[in-house]
Amino acid sequence: MTSTHAFWLAGRQATGEKTFDVTSPWNGRLVGTVSVPTDEQVEEAVSAAHAVVDEFAATPAHVRAAALDHVSRRLVERTEEIARLISAENGKPVKWARGEVGRAVSVFRFAAEEARRFNGGEAQRLDTDAGGAGRLALTRRFPRGAVLGIAPFNFPLNLCAHKIAPAIAVGAPIILKPAPATPLSGLLLGELLAETDLPAGSWSVLPVPNDRMPALVQDERLPVISFTGSDTVGYAIMDSVPRKHCTLELGGNGAAVVLSDWASEQDLDQAATRIATFSNYQAGQSCISVQRVIADASVYERLVPKIVAAVEAQVTGDPGDDATDVGPLVSEDAAKRVESWVDEAVRAGAQLLTGGKRDGATYAPTVLSEVPADTTISCEEVFGPVLTLTRIESETEAFAAVNDSRYGLQAGVFTHDLQAAFRAHRALEVGGVIIGDVPSYRADQMPYGGAKQSGVGREGVRFAMEDYTYERVMVLTGLAL
């Protein structure tokens, strides 16, 4: 895993004049050395993408679907190798990395299926008014143009898949920019795409440094930007290109609500296990990890010790070990930031129930209660293995507590009451409400995105395909309808 990795320029391998090292956040060892594209090579990739827009949009659906199916199959064949690569560059426990590969397999499979049925056209008769007699409207969707996909570090394979697969499915050229900390998984996707017959220029994978991105973001030949990452960076991108079509999947501070009817010992054990698991999976580095637990007073006292015990049962250690549940954060700086937020909350009066310790890039799974509302950890996305506990007196108070945030990505509501489920769906200002489970559930084919400061647009294969395209109407005249 220590060879130099070329990048993918318009479907072929290329190297630049400089390189950078990718190191393991667990032990600092060298995972790989990556070649960096020059400005001239970036220009070549953009020019190639722009030049192939019409050709790629006209590529038969079966060609695009076959390429997507090929990548899906190859991911299956190389699952263990790719999972180990994700774990090495990201620090993600290998058992979670295998799950990420499995999800990427599904993303490419879903995209292949959607490529075969998307854009079939919708007919609308216009003779409902006298002036439309003999006329029929046919509406189809066409690509907006080439896409700039910017992926984050926390799911270095699957979130690259969520950029690339929908673009190929609709016939939109894409330039993928993987995260600097975790470029190797994205580059491996390029290796699999290079085995297909897609047109030259229809895709590139360029590990461009962040400080060189403004010019690429502002290039008019890339009219669509799909970004996943922090709200600060995402909205800065949108503000810099107000006339482009931007989809932003940003942060969250996911809440898990436990209502009064979720009250049996079995119910509370289940909720505690799910909360503990999904506040700490990926070391909490997921936009929909459990950050806030909001529990009814009638179950709070019984639930808290169960959560603490379940959190303490999480195995922290070497991400390459199958027994490990929680690995390091992506960097020591990230762990220090989490540490500072927890320390601030404790100084302000929060009760530390477990955890609160850092060892290099690893931060111990942590539970806090009685956290003041104005602390950073209450207001922002912690993106680390930390959860806070809040006691409420009613369903109405619970839903208000969820909404008392500038984020609104997903929320989980533990309840057996169908009416309460529908009330939650109506009341909660989030992109997704998960009933009977944590907010961390995501199926890759469903619409995924947020409200408020959690972003605009939706991921999820078909929904991203809609974001990458626009409706174009053709009116046929002189028809005998």
PDB file of all heavy atoms in Angstrom, residues 227 229-239 248 250-251 380 406-407 453:
ATOM      1  N   PHE A 227     -21.612  18.916  -3.611  1.00  0.00           N
ATOM      2  CA  PHE A 227     -20.650  18.990  -2.511  1.00  0.00           C
ATOM      3  C   PHE A 227     -21.204  18.297  -1.285  1.00  0.00           C
ATOM      4  O   PHE A 227     -22.367  18.511  -0.907  1.00  0.00           O
ATOM      5  CB  PHE A 227     -20.350  20.453  -2.170  1.00  0.00           C
ATOM      6  CG  PHE A 227     -19.529  20.645  -0.914  1.00  0.00           C
ATOM      7  CD1 PHE A 227     -18.146  20.599  -0.959  1.00  0.00           C
ATOM      8  CD2 PHE A 227     -20.145  20.865   0.313  1.00  0.00           C
ATOM      9  CE1 PHE A 227     -17.382  20.769   0.198  1.00  0.00           C
ATOM     10  CE2 PHE A 227     -19.392  21.038   1.475  1.00  0.00           C
ATOM     11  CZ  PHE A 227     -18.011  20.987   1.411  1.00  0.00           C
ATOM     12  N   GLY A 229     -19.954  17.917   2.750  1.00  0.00           N
ATOM     13  CA  GLY A 229     -18.947  18.356   3.706  1.00  0.00           C
ATOM     14  C   GLY A 229     -19.544  19.323   4.708  1.00  0.00           C
ATOM     15  O   GLY A 229     -20.736  19.278   5.015  1.00  0.00           O
ATOM     16  N   SER A 230     -18.729  20.234   5.197  1.00  0.00           N
ATOM     17  CA  SER A 230     -19.162  21.155   6.247  1.00  0.00           C
ATOM     18  C   SER A 230     -20.038  22.263   5.678  1.00  0.00           C
ATOM     19  O   SER A 230     -19.934  22.634   4.510  1.00  0.00           O
ATOM     20  CB  SER A 230     -17.949  21.774   6.943  1.00  0.00           C
ATOM     21  OG  SER A 230     -17.330  22.737   6.097  1.00  0.00           O
ATOM     22  N   ASP A 231     -20.903  22.802   6.540  1.00  0.00           N
ATOM     23  CA  ASP A 231     -21.767  23.896   6.092  1.00  0.00           C
ATOM     24  C   ASP A 231     -20.950  25.143   5.775  1.00  0.00           C
ATOM     25  O   ASP A 231     -21.282  25.890   4.842  1.00  0.00           O
ATOM     26  CB  ASP A 231     -22.845  24.197   7.129  1.00  0.00           C
ATOM     27  CG  ASP A 231     -22.280  24.577   8.492  1.00  0.00           C
ATOM     28  OD1 ASP A 231     -21.252  24.012   8.902  1.00  0.00           O
ATOM     29  OD2 ASP A 231     -22.864  25.451   9.144  1.00  0.00           O
ATOM     30  N   THR A 232     -19.865  25.371   6.492  1.00  0.00           N
ATOM     31  CA  THR A 232     -19.041  26.553   6.244  1.00  0.00           C
ATOM     32  C   THR A 232     -18.496  26.542   4.820  1.00  0.00           C
ATOM     33  O   THR A 232     -18.612  27.519   4.073  1.00  0.00           O
ATOM     34  CB  THR A 232     -17.876  26.620   7.248  1.00  0.00           C
ATOM     35  OG1 THR A 232     -18.408  26.683   8.577  1.00  0.00           O
ATOM     36  CG2 THR A 232     -17.022  27.848   7.001  1.00  0.00           C
ATOM     37  N   VAL A 233     -17.920  25.413   4.426  1.00  0.00           N
ATOM     38  CA  VAL A 233     -17.341  25.318   3.087  1.00  0.00           C
ATOM     39  C   VAL A 233     -18.440  25.257   2.036  1.00  0.00           C
ATOM     40  O   VAL A 233     -18.361  25.910   0.988  1.00  0.00           O
ATOM     41  CB  VAL A 233     -16.423  24.080   2.983  1.00  0.00           C
ATOM     42  CG1 VAL A 233     -15.900  23.915   1.563  1.00  0.00           C
ATOM     43  CG2 VAL A 233     -15.267  24.206   3.960  1.00  0.00           C
ATOM     44  N   GLY A 234     -19.489  24.496   2.312  1.00  0.00           N
ATOM     45  CA  GLY A 234     -20.557  24.344   1.331  1.00  0.00           C
ATOM     46  C   GLY A 234     -21.219  25.646   0.967  1.00  0.00           C
ATOM     47  O   GLY A 234     -21.399  25.964  -0.227  1.00  0.00           O
ATOM     48  N   TYR A 235     -21.582  26.430   1.964  1.00  0.00           N
ATOM     49  CA  TYR A 235     -22.255  27.698   1.662  1.00  0.00           C
ATOM     50  C   TYR A 235     -21.284  28.729   1.087  1.00  0.00           C
ATOM     51  O   TYR A 235     -21.688  29.602   0.312  1.00  0.00           O
ATOM     52  CB  TYR A 235     -22.982  28.220   2.896  1.00  0.00           C
ATOM     53  CG  TYR A 235     -24.252  27.456   3.155  1.00  0.00           C
ATOM     54  CD1 TYR A 235     -24.421  26.679   4.298  1.00  0.00           C
ATOM     55  CD2 TYR A 235     -25.293  27.485   2.226  1.00  0.00           C
ATOM     56  CE1 TYR A 235     -25.576  25.964   4.503  1.00  0.00           C
ATOM     57  CE2 TYR A 235     -26.459  26.771   2.445  1.00  0.00           C
ATOM     58  CZ  TYR A 235     -26.593  26.002   3.577  1.00  0.00           C
ATOM     59  OH  TYR A 235     -27.750  25.278   3.786  1.00  0.00           O
ATOM     60  N   ALA A 236     -19.995  28.623   1.423  1.00  0.00           N
ATOM     61  CA  ALA A 236     -19.009  29.494   0.780  1.00  0.00           C
ATOM     62  C   ALA A 236     -18.931  29.194  -0.714  1.00  0.00           C
ATOM     63  O   ALA A 236     -18.816  30.110  -1.549  1.00  0.00           O
ATOM     64  CB  ALA A 236     -17.641  29.322   1.435  1.00  0.00           C
ATOM     65  N   ILE A 237     -19.000  27.905  -1.073  1.00  0.00           N
ATOM     66  CA  ILE A 237     -19.022  27.527  -2.485  1.00  0.00           C
ATOM     67  C   ILE A 237     -20.260  28.093  -3.159  1.00  0.00           C
ATOM     68  O   ILE A 237     -20.184  28.716  -4.226  1.00  0.00           O
ATOM     69  CB  ILE A 237     -18.970  25.995  -2.627  1.00  0.00           C
ATOM     70  CG1 ILE A 237     -17.583  25.471  -2.263  1.00  0.00           C
ATOM     71  CG2 ILE A 237     -19.351  25.567  -4.042  1.00  0.00           C
ATOM     72  CD1 ILE A 237     -17.494  23.957  -2.207  1.00  0.00           C
ATOM     73  N   MET A 238     -21.417  27.901  -2.552  1.00  0.00           N
ATOM     74  CA  MET A 238     -22.660  28.388  -3.156  1.00  0.00           C
ATOM     75  C   MET A 238     -22.643  29.900  -3.318  1.00  0.00           C
ATOM     76  O   MET A 238     -23.054  30.438  -4.357  1.00  0.00           O
ATOM     77  CB  MET A 238     -23.858  27.957  -2.311  1.00  0.00           C
ATOM     78  CG  MET A 238     -25.195  28.473  -2.841  1.00  0.00           C
ATOM     79  SD  MET A 238     -26.601  27.881  -1.878  1.00  0.00           S
ATOM     80  CE  MET A 238     -26.828  26.270  -2.624  1.00  0.00           C
ATOM     81  N   ASP A 239     -22.142  30.604  -2.320  1.00  0.00           N
ATOM     82  CA  ASP A 239     -22.095  32.066  -2.393  1.00  0.00           C
ATOM     83  C   ASP A 239     -21.155  32.554  -3.489  1.00  0.00           C
ATOM     84  O   ASP A 239     -21.352  33.627  -4.056  1.00  0.00           O
ATOM     85  CB  ASP A 239     -21.664  32.650  -1.046  1.00  0.00           C
ATOM     86  CG  ASP A 239     -22.721  32.482   0.036  1.00  0.00           C
ATOM     87  OD1 ASP A 239     -23.882  32.202  -0.305  1.00  0.00           O
ATOM     88  OD2 ASP A 239     -22.367  32.614   1.223  1.00  0.00           O
ATOM     89  N   LEU A 248     -25.930  20.608  -1.927  1.00  0.00           N
ATOM     90  CA  LEU A 248     -25.067  20.615  -0.755  1.00  0.00           C
ATOM     91  C   LEU A 248     -25.623  19.654   0.282  1.00  0.00           C
ATOM     92  O   LEU A 248     -26.745  19.829   0.760  1.00  0.00           O
ATOM     93  CB  LEU A 248     -24.980  22.021  -0.145  1.00  0.00           C
ATOM     94  CG  LEU A 248     -24.585  23.187  -1.062  1.00  0.00           C
ATOM     95  CD1 LEU A 248     -24.625  24.494  -0.273  1.00  0.00           C
ATOM     96  CD2 LEU A 248     -23.204  22.965  -1.651  1.00  0.00           C
ATOM     97  N   LEU A 250     -24.771  18.726   3.887  1.00  0.00           N
ATOM     98  CA  LEU A 250     -23.906  19.356   4.887  1.00  0.00           C
ATOM     99  C   LEU A 250     -24.051  18.670   6.246  1.00  0.00           C
ATOM    100  O   LEU A 250     -24.328  17.486   6.323  1.00  0.00           O
ATOM    101  CB  LEU A 250     -24.220  20.850   4.950  1.00  0.00           C
ATOM    102  CG  LEU A 250     -24.156  21.571   3.576  1.00  0.00           C
ATOM    103  CD1 LEU A 250     -24.572  23.012   3.708  1.00  0.00           C
ATOM    104  CD2 LEU A 250     -22.765  21.452   2.975  1.00  0.00           C
ATOM    105  N   GLY A 251     -23.846  19.421   7.295  1.00  0.00           N
ATOM    106  CA  GLY A 251     -23.742  18.827   8.616  1.00  0.00           C
ATOM    107  C   GLY A 251     -25.072  18.591   9.301  1.00  0.00           C
ATOM    108  O   GLY A 251     -26.146  18.926   8.802  1.00  0.00           O
ATOM    109  N   GLU A 380     -23.293  22.913  17.795  1.00  0.00           N
ATOM    110  CA  GLU A 380     -22.611  22.575  16.550  1.00  0.00           C
ATOM    111  C   GLU A 380     -22.565  21.061  16.333  1.00  0.00           C
ATOM    112  O   GLU A 380     -22.921  20.282  17.213  1.00  0.00           O
ATOM    113  CB  GLU A 380     -21.180  23.140  16.569  1.00  0.00           C
ATOM    114  CG  GLU A 380     -21.112  24.645  16.745  1.00  0.00           C
ATOM    115  CD  GLU A 380     -21.733  25.411  15.597  1.00  0.00           C
ATOM    116  OE1 GLU A 380     -21.764  24.860  14.465  1.00  0.00           O
ATOM    117  OE2 GLU A 380     -22.197  26.541  15.810  1.00  0.00           O
ATOM    118  N   ARG A 406     -29.812  24.836  14.354  1.00  0.00           N
ATOM    119  CA  ARG A 406     -29.755  25.397  13.007  1.00  0.00           C
ATOM    120  C   ARG A 406     -29.622  24.300  11.958  1.00  0.00           C
ATOM    121  O   ARG A 406     -29.726  24.564  10.767  1.00  0.00           O
ATOM    122  CB  ARG A 406     -28.591  26.382  12.883  1.00  0.00           C
ATOM    123  CG  ARG A 406     -27.198  25.814  13.038  1.00  0.00           C
ATOM    124  CD  ARG A 406     -26.173  26.945  13.135  1.00  0.00           C
ATOM    125  NE  ARG A 406     -24.798  26.463  13.206  1.00  0.00           N
ATOM    126  CZ  ARG A 406     -24.010  26.284  12.144  1.00  0.00           C
ATOM    127  NH1 ARG A 406     -24.480  26.545  10.938  1.00  0.00           N
ATOM    128  NH2 ARG A 406     -22.773  25.863  12.283  1.00  0.00           N
ATOM    129  N   TYR A 407     -29.407  23.047  12.413  1.00  0.00           N
ATOM    130  CA  TYR A 407     -29.320  21.912  11.513  1.00  0.00           C
ATOM    131  C   TYR A 407     -30.651  21.172  11.447  1.00  0.00           C
ATOM    132  O   TYR A 407     -31.469  21.247  12.358  1.00  0.00           O
ATOM    133  CB  TYR A 407     -28.238  20.938  11.977  1.00  0.00           C
ATOM    134  CG  TYR A 407     -26.847  21.503  11.971  1.00  0.00           C
ATOM    135  CD1 TYR A 407     -26.179  21.773  13.164  1.00  0.00           C
ATOM    136  CD2 TYR A 407     -26.191  21.755  10.774  1.00  0.00           C
ATOM    137  CE1 TYR A 407     -24.883  22.277  13.161  1.00  0.00           C
ATOM    138  CE2 TYR A 407     -24.896  22.265  10.760  1.00  0.00           C
ATOM    139  CZ  TYR A 407     -24.249  22.523  11.960  1.00  0.00           C
ATOM    140  OH  TYR A 407     -22.978  23.023  11.959  1.00  0.00           O
ATOM    141  N   GLN A 453     -29.794  24.586   7.853  1.00  0.00           N
ATOM    142  CA  GLN A 453     -28.385  24.700   7.471  1.00  0.00           C
ATOM    143  C   GLN A 453     -27.748  23.353   7.126  1.00  0.00           C
ATOM    144  O   GLN A 453     -26.529  23.266   6.965  1.00  0.00           O
ATOM    145  CB  GLN A 453     -27.596  25.350   8.617  1.00  0.00           C
ATOM    146  CG  GLN A 453     -28.039  26.762   8.939  1.00  0.00           C
ATOM    147  CD  GLN A 453     -27.873  27.705   7.746  1.00  0.00           C
ATOM    148  OE1 GLN A 453     -26.768  27.879   7.243  1.00  0.00           O
ATOM    149  NE2 GLN A 453     -28.965  28.299   7.307  1.00  0.00           N
TER     150      GLN A 453
END
